[in-house]
Amino acid sequence: KQEVTQIPAALSVPEGENLVLNCSFTDSAIYNLQWFRQDPGKGLTSLLLIQSSQREQTSGRLNASLDKSSGRSTLYIAASQPGDSATYLCAVRGGDSSYKLIFGSGTRLLVRP
Amino acid sequence: KAGVTQTPRYLIKTRGQQVTLSCSPISGHRSVSWYQQTPGQGLQFLFEYFSETQRNKGNFPGRFSGRQFSNSRSEMNVSTLELGDSALYLCASSRRDTQYFGPGTRLTVL
């Protein structure tokens, strides 16, 4: 049974700092991994998607890496801003045809001005 | 292009009642998935529909059911509501690999 873990559960950093969020999963037979952002009381916004055959994806100040063999992914946020404050969730999609996602519990990020 | 829409956005029910939530996917998307989000359990997969067929189902009791219509719109129904059903219910639509989530329906059971 796939399990997804995110560390740390919460993180508080000063503005401008570079930071790394971690995600690990127990079953390496994944189709892809997706990072989401969730603002309080809102839905999820997709940030980056990494296919199982890829090593990393970049979008602006965000970079996500995937090491499928070790069951790990990281989300790197460069030059953090207060607007980055949100909960970040990673989710893996299994190797079947379904779109079912297994989510981690998230990292709650606070970027202090 | 319009995003995923969910109605209603907020709902208050009492124990024992039933509720129906609606989700309209992005135009052209044939897959709709439903998730329940609670502070204690996080985001949990409920079920997925593709072209009106349930393709996958999570580990929830039979009180939770859903369906998808020919225009890809989906509904989920919860019967005999319990206090523990209070949650944010999110739906997502997919066409290729990325899933796009709606704003959710906040259900409160009193």
Side-chain angles (χ1 to χ4, degrees), chain A residues 49-108:
Chain A
L49 180 143
I50 312 176
Q51 301 291 359
S52 62
S53 58
Q54 297 176 319
R55 298 285 293 184
E56 66 178 309
Q57 281 287 346
T58 297
S59 176
R61 295 183 293 109
L62 305 179
N63 175 278
S65 68
L66 174 65
D67 184 343
K68 202 172 74 162
S69 61
S70 68
R72 293 183 182 184
S73 176
T74 62
L75 178 67
Y76 175 83
I77 302 177
S80 59
Q81 303 170 359
D84 294 329
S85 297
T87 296
Y88 290 80
L89 296 143
C90 74
V92 298
R93 178 181 163 192
D96 58 16
S97 60
S98 167
Y99 281 106
K100 174 183 177 179
L101 294 176
I102 305 296
F103 281 86
S105 53
T107 293
R108 192 168 65 253

Side-chain angles (χ1 to χ4, degrees), chain B residues 51-99:
Chain B
S51 294
E52 302 179 65
T53 301
Q54 187 180 87
R55 187 155 72 170
N56 209 332
K57 189 176 190 302
N59 189 26
F60 278 81
R63 300 185 297 107
F64 292 80
S65 63
R67 59 177 176 169
Q68 186 179 34
F69 302 95
S70 58
N71 62 358
S72 293
R73 189 178 70 86
S74 177
E75 290 181 347
M76 67 163 281
N77 184 78
V78 188
S79 63
T80 319
L81 284 166
E82 300 177 359
L83 295 178
D85 297 333
S86 294
L88 180 66
Y89 290 88
L90 295 163
C91 81
S93 76
S94 312
R95 182 176 178 183
R96 291 195 177 91
D97 289 329
T98 303
Q99 298 208 27

